[in-house]
Amino acid sequence: MNFFNHFGRYILMIKGMFTRPENWRMYWKELMHQCSDIGIGSLGIVVVVALFIGAVSTLQTAYQLVSNLIPKSTIAQIVRDTVILEFAPTITCIVLAGVVGSKIASELGNMRVSEQIDALEIMGINTKAYLIMPKILASFIMIPLLVIIAGVLGIWGGRLAGTMAGILSPEEFDGGLLSGFLPFNVTFALYKAYTFAFIISSIPAYFGYFVRGGALEIGKASTTAVVASCIMILFADYILAALLL
């Protein structure tokens, strides 16, 4: 019953963002602020994670392909498809769930505990639309861009690691990179990116918006939001793969 209670309040929160819309111009500044926080603020960790994921993928793929009958360019094909289909969208968004999700939950939780949200509601402002919608829209804009950056850097990191370790030459990697490429893989990665972006922004916003108590409860809400977001990302990853692949 507790799950259905949370799910019902979550749906009502999403619905509440559209029931009493404000002047859309007032959201622009907040949207740009959230784009900066979510995109620019998370760029560093995304770059580091993507580079090392690509590098490790190349090294481990080369370790497992021990047969001389398999061309070395196959390593590049496996790294390319693995990074695009799984590592870039899923691993990046799980990292972002910790970075962005905890920030959203703690920010809204602090506003709720300090009664800033109550003050806005007294002034007649639709707080669900004003506080939560810009975060979700900014996630839709920035997280797919971060996933694209992670995919490019992951493949480049794999190419660099393979070249530096002497596993295969740059020409062999580039040849495998272009061999048998399916454009739908990129489309599928973007489907996942937009789905995960909604999860990363809306679930922590729910836990932060409805928190009650003090600093301890804010910390618990942030932790619960990150855990719930990661679980939902993995669940959505499986559903999308089962439906679209």
Short mmCIF file of all heavy atoms in Angstrom, two decimals, residues 1 7 34 46 52 76-77 114 152 158-159 162 171 176 189 194 200-201 208:
data_model
loop_
_atom_site.label_atom_id
_atom_site.label_comp_id
_atom_site.label_asym_id
_atom_site.label_seq_id
_atom_site.Cartn_x
_atom_site.Cartn_y
_atom_site.Cartn_z
N MET A 1 0.82 -1.21 0.00
CA MET A 1 0.00 0.00 0.00
C MET A 1 0.86 1.26 0.00
O MET A 1 0.49 2.29 -0.56
CB MET A 1 -0.92 -0.01 1.23
CG MET A 1 -1.97 -1.11 1.19
SD MET A 1 -3.04 -1.00 -0.28
CE MET A 1 -3.85 0.56 0.04
N PHE A 7 3.15 6.17 -5.50
CA PHE A 7 2.91 6.24 -6.94
C PHE A 7 1.78 7.21 -7.26
O PHE A 7 1.85 7.98 -8.22
CB PHE A 7 2.60 4.84 -7.49
CG PHE A 7 2.40 4.81 -8.98
CD1 PHE A 7 3.47 4.95 -9.83
CD2 PHE A 7 1.13 4.63 -9.51
CE1 PHE A 7 3.29 4.92 -11.22
CE2 PHE A 7 0.94 4.60 -10.89
CZ PHE A 7 2.02 4.74 -11.74
N GLN A 34 18.97 25.69 -14.47
CA GLN A 34 18.98 24.24 -14.32
C GLN A 34 19.81 23.57 -15.42
O GLN A 34 20.49 22.57 -15.15
CB GLN A 34 17.55 23.70 -14.34
CG GLN A 34 16.70 24.12 -13.15
CD GLN A 34 17.28 23.66 -11.83
OE1 GLN A 34 17.89 22.59 -11.73
NE2 GLN A 34 17.08 24.46 -10.79
N VAL A 46 31.19 13.05 -16.23
CA VAL A 46 30.79 12.28 -17.42
C VAL A 46 31.99 12.03 -18.31
O VAL A 46 32.17 10.91 -18.83
CB VAL A 46 29.68 13.03 -18.18
CG1 VAL A 46 29.45 12.40 -19.55
CG2 VAL A 46 28.39 13.03 -17.39
N PHE A 52 37.25 6.22 -19.31
CA PHE A 52 37.74 4.99 -18.70
C PHE A 52 36.87 3.79 -19.04
O PHE A 52 37.38 2.68 -19.15
CB PHE A 52 37.85 5.17 -17.18
CG PHE A 52 39.09 5.92 -16.77
CD1 PHE A 52 39.03 7.26 -16.47
CD2 PHE A 52 40.31 5.28 -16.71
CE1 PHE A 52 40.17 7.97 -16.10
CE2 PHE A 52 41.46 5.97 -16.34
CZ PHE A 52 41.39 7.32 -16.04
N ALA A 76 36.98 -3.26 -32.18
CA ALA A 76 36.38 -1.93 -32.33
C ALA A 76 34.87 -2.02 -32.51
O ALA A 76 34.13 -1.18 -31.97
CB ALA A 76 37.01 -1.22 -33.52
N GLN A 77 34.40 -3.02 -33.26
CA GLN A 77 32.96 -3.18 -33.43
C GLN A 77 32.27 -3.46 -32.11
O GLN A 77 31.22 -2.87 -31.80
CB GLN A 77 32.68 -4.33 -34.40
CG GLN A 77 33.18 -4.10 -35.82
CD GLN A 77 32.84 -5.27 -36.72
OE1 GLN A 77 31.74 -5.81 -36.67
NE2 GLN A 77 33.77 -5.67 -37.56
N SER A 114 12.38 24.58 4.98
CA SER A 114 12.49 25.99 5.36
C SER A 114 11.25 26.80 5.00
O SER A 114 11.26 28.04 5.12
CB SER A 114 13.72 26.62 4.70
OG SER A 114 13.62 26.56 3.29
N VAL A 152 30.79 9.43 -27.63
CA VAL A 152 31.94 9.82 -28.46
C VAL A 152 33.24 9.62 -27.69
O VAL A 152 34.22 9.05 -28.20
CB VAL A 152 31.79 11.28 -28.92
CG1 VAL A 152 33.06 11.76 -29.62
CG2 VAL A 152 30.59 11.43 -29.85
N GLY A 158 38.43 4.13 -26.00
CA GLY A 158 38.75 2.77 -26.40
C GLY A 158 39.80 2.74 -27.49
O GLY A 158 40.71 1.90 -27.48
N ARG A 159 39.70 3.65 -28.44
CA ARG A 159 40.70 3.74 -29.53
C ARG A 159 42.07 4.10 -28.97
O ARG A 159 43.09 3.52 -29.36
CB ARG A 159 40.25 4.77 -30.55
CG ARG A 159 41.16 4.92 -31.77
CD ARG A 159 40.57 5.99 -32.70
NE ARG A 159 41.28 6.06 -33.95
CZ ARG A 159 42.37 6.82 -34.16
NH1 ARG A 159 42.86 7.54 -33.16
NH2 ARG A 159 42.95 6.84 -35.34
N GLY A 162 43.48 1.09 -26.98
CA GLY A 162 43.93 0.03 -27.87
C GLY A 162 45.23 0.36 -28.57
O GLY A 162 46.10 -0.50 -28.76
N GLU A 171 44.36 2.39 -37.62
CA GLU A 171 43.68 2.06 -38.87
C GLU A 171 42.75 0.86 -38.68
O GLU A 171 41.63 0.83 -39.21
CB GLU A 171 44.70 1.77 -39.97
CG GLU A 171 45.49 2.97 -40.44
CD GLU A 171 46.57 3.38 -39.44
OE1 GLU A 171 46.94 2.52 -38.59
OE2 GLU A 171 47.04 4.54 -39.50
N GLY A 176 37.20 -1.19 -38.10
CA GLY A 176 36.16 -1.90 -37.35
C GLY A 176 35.06 -0.99 -36.89
O GLY A 176 33.89 -1.39 -36.79
N ALA A 189 19.85 4.53 -28.26
CA ALA A 189 20.55 5.17 -27.14
C ALA A 189 19.86 6.48 -26.75
O ALA A 189 19.77 6.80 -25.55
CB ALA A 189 22.01 5.42 -27.51
N TYR A 194 16.41 9.91 -23.11
CA TYR A 194 15.24 10.72 -22.76
C TYR A 194 14.42 10.05 -21.65
O TYR A 194 13.89 10.73 -20.76
CB TYR A 194 14.37 10.97 -23.99
CG TYR A 194 14.92 12.05 -24.88
CD1 TYR A 194 15.52 11.75 -26.10
CD2 TYR A 194 14.84 13.39 -24.51
CE1 TYR A 194 16.03 12.74 -26.92
CE2 TYR A 194 15.34 14.40 -25.33
CZ TYR A 194 15.93 14.06 -26.52
OH TYR A 194 16.45 15.06 -27.32
N ILE A 200 15.52 10.57 -13.82
CA ILE A 200 16.52 11.24 -12.99
C ILE A 200 15.99 12.55 -12.41
O ILE A 200 16.36 12.94 -11.30
CB ILE A 200 17.80 11.48 -13.80
CG1 ILE A 200 18.49 10.15 -14.10
CG2 ILE A 200 18.76 12.42 -13.08
CD1 ILE A 200 19.63 10.27 -15.10
N SER A 201 15.13 13.23 -13.16
CA SER A 201 14.64 14.53 -12.70
C SER A 201 13.34 14.43 -11.91
O SER A 201 13.17 15.14 -10.91
CB SER A 201 14.44 15.46 -13.90
OG SER A 201 13.57 14.86 -14.86
N GLY A 208 12.04 15.03 -2.84
CA GLY A 208 12.41 16.30 -2.23
C GLY A 208 11.22 17.18 -1.96
O GLY A 208 11.15 17.84 -0.92
#
